[in-house]
């Protein structure tokens, strides 16, 4: 195994560990819109917020208008903890509660950390490693940030601030990709190509860039499925038109070969 193949093997192992972790995407059970105020939570029908797992009466959630939240499961209210690049969260028994916000709408997201979906997951199928798909692209900062509308897989829309562009050449043609999101200080590209809907997940794949000076490494061997490939409770962005490539990228993760319960099918043709 070459050093590069070893690097990709470790990346895939880390990716699988993150996906099957307690806060991964395989144990998500509920995402319910909520409004600021005090509300009871549990599986019983008389709760203000009825969830699908856990005890009949789990506790009381209080949401402030600014998004701060606390939860009282009977032993006193506890604040939701802030987590980088993730919604605030709180563990109650086997349940991991998160209060998220998309487009001004708050939602309670619930994960069942004891779910067998985590341990029974069959793994991620990927294309063979191809070093040719590790591309060093030009990294261009825009003169000023530009707003860009982004469609979501749910049919809703949001807006991001675009600050950079990545440029490279493929088969003699200039390709421009837009980093619409940032994860842990790194640019994230939401992409689609000619494999989408056939060999790879139809809605999109995600790719995290590595910035080195005026260059950005786009390693498509690390292109990965978005959360909505595994659950219809995730809210995923769709690629802007500039990130829909007219050629096939047979590198990175393929679409899940065995659909997970609740996984959303997506037709890239619309």
């Amino acid at each position: 195994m070459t050093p590069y193949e070893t690097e990709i093997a470790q990346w895939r192992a880390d990716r699988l560990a993150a996906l099957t972790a307690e806060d991964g995407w395989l144990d998500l059970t509920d995402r319910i819109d909520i409004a600021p105020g005090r509300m009871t939570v549990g599986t019983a029908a008389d709760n203000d917020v009825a969830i699908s797992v856990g005890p009949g009466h789990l506790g009381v959630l209080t949401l402030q208008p600014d998004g701060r939240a606390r939860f009282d499961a009977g032993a006193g209210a506890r604040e939701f903890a802030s987590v980088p690049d993730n919604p605030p969260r709180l563990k109650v028994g086997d349940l991991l509660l998160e209060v998220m916000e998309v487009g001004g709408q708050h939602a309670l997201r619930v994960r069942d950390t004891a779910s067998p979906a985590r341990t029974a997951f069959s793994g991620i199928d990927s294309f063979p490693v191809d070093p040719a798909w590790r591309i060093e692209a030009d990294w261009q900062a825009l003169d000023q940030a530009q707003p860009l509308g982004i469609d979501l897989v749910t049919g809703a829309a949001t807006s991001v601030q675009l600050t950079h562009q990545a440029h490279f050449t493929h088969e003699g043609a200039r390709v421009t990709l837009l980093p619409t999101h940032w994860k842990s200080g790194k640019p994230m590209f939401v992409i689609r190509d000619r494999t989408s809907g056939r060999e790879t997940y139809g809605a999109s794949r995600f790719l995290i860039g590595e910035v080195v000076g005026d260059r950005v490494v786009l390693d498509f061997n690390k292109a990965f499925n978005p959360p909505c490939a595994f659950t219809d409770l995730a809210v995923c962005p769709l690629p802007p038109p500039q990130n829909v490539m007219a050629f096939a990228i047979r590198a990175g993760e393929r679409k899940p070969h065995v659909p997970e319960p609740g996984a959303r099918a997506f037709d890239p043709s619309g």
Side-chain angles (χ1 to χ4, degrees):
M1 184 178 289
T2 67
Y4 180 66
E5 289 171 334
T6 299
E7 175 191 337
I8 298 301
Q10 183 60 57
W11 182 90
R12 290 177 177 176
D14 293 343
R15 158 72 171 153
L16 181 59
L19 184 61
T20 56
E22 287 190 349
D23 60 351
W25 293 102
L26 303 179
D27 57 359
L28 201 60
T29 62
D30 298 274
R31 190 190 77 232
I32 302 169
D33 288 347
I34 56 176
R38 179 184 182 279
M39 64 208 83
T40 57
V41 179
T43 54
D46 62 349
N47 285 286
D48 300 314
V49 179
I51 58 178
S52 63
V53 293
H57 298 91
L58 183 65
V60 177
L61 170 67
T62 302
L63 176 66
Q64 303 294 334
D66 62 4
R68 289 181 299 157
R70 61 182 184 272
F71 195 87
D72 188 348
R78 291 188 292 152
E79 297 285 337
F80 280 63
S82 298
V83 181
D85 294 326
N86 287 281
R89 63 180 53 166
L90 181 70
K91 187 83 175 289
V92 182
D94 288 331
L95 301 184
L96 184 62
L97 309 180
E98 299 174 330
V99 173
M100 59 180 298
E101 183 268 328
V102 176
Q105 174 63 59
H106 290 96
L108 175 66
R109 196 159 65 183
V110 182
R111 302 175 190 272
D112 179 7
T113 63
S115 171
R118 294 175 54 215
T119 56
F121 183 61
S122 58
I124 307 171
D125 191 16
S126 298
F127 291 100
V129 177
D130 185 352
W133 281 113
R134 182 188 183 278
I135 295 172
E136 293 190 13
D138 293 329
W139 184 237
Q140 177 192 2
L142 303 181
D143 292 337
Q144 60 182 18
Q146 300 176 4
L148 180 68
I150 297 293
D151 292 330
L152 305 177
V153 74
T154 57
T158 188
S159 179
V160 300
Q161 290 293 312
L162 187 68
T163 61
H164 291 75
Q165 295 179 338
H167 305 284
F168 65 94
T169 300
H170 177 73
E171 296 182 345
R174 181 176 172 84
V175 180
T176 296
L177 295 183
L178 307 182
T180 54
H181 299 74
W182 293 77
K183 296 293 183 182
S184 301
K186 298 180 179 181
M188 189 181 89
F189 301 82
V190 182
I191 61 173
R192 196 184 297 160
D193 64 271
R194 290 295 295 274
T195 69
S196 300
R198 301 172 179 85
E199 299 167 86
T200 60
Y201 183 61
S204 69
R205 287 189 289 172
F206 292 172
L207 178 65
I208 306 295
E210 294 281 350
V211 177
V212 182
D214 61 354
R215 307 283 282 173
V216 59
V217 176
L218 305 176
D219 192 339
F220 291 96
N221 291 287
K222 298 178 181 179
F224 60 97
N225 289 313
C228 53
F230 302 101
T231 172
D232 60 4
L233 297 176
V235 180
C236 296
L238 296 176
Q242 296 91 331
N243 289 7
V244 179
M245 290 165 281
F247 48 89
I249 300 177
R250 291 186 173 88
E253 292 183 359
R254 300 176 187 263
K255 63 182 177 181
H257 52 84
V258 177
E260 294 297 311
R264 178 190 289 110
F266 185 87
D267 179 1
S269 67

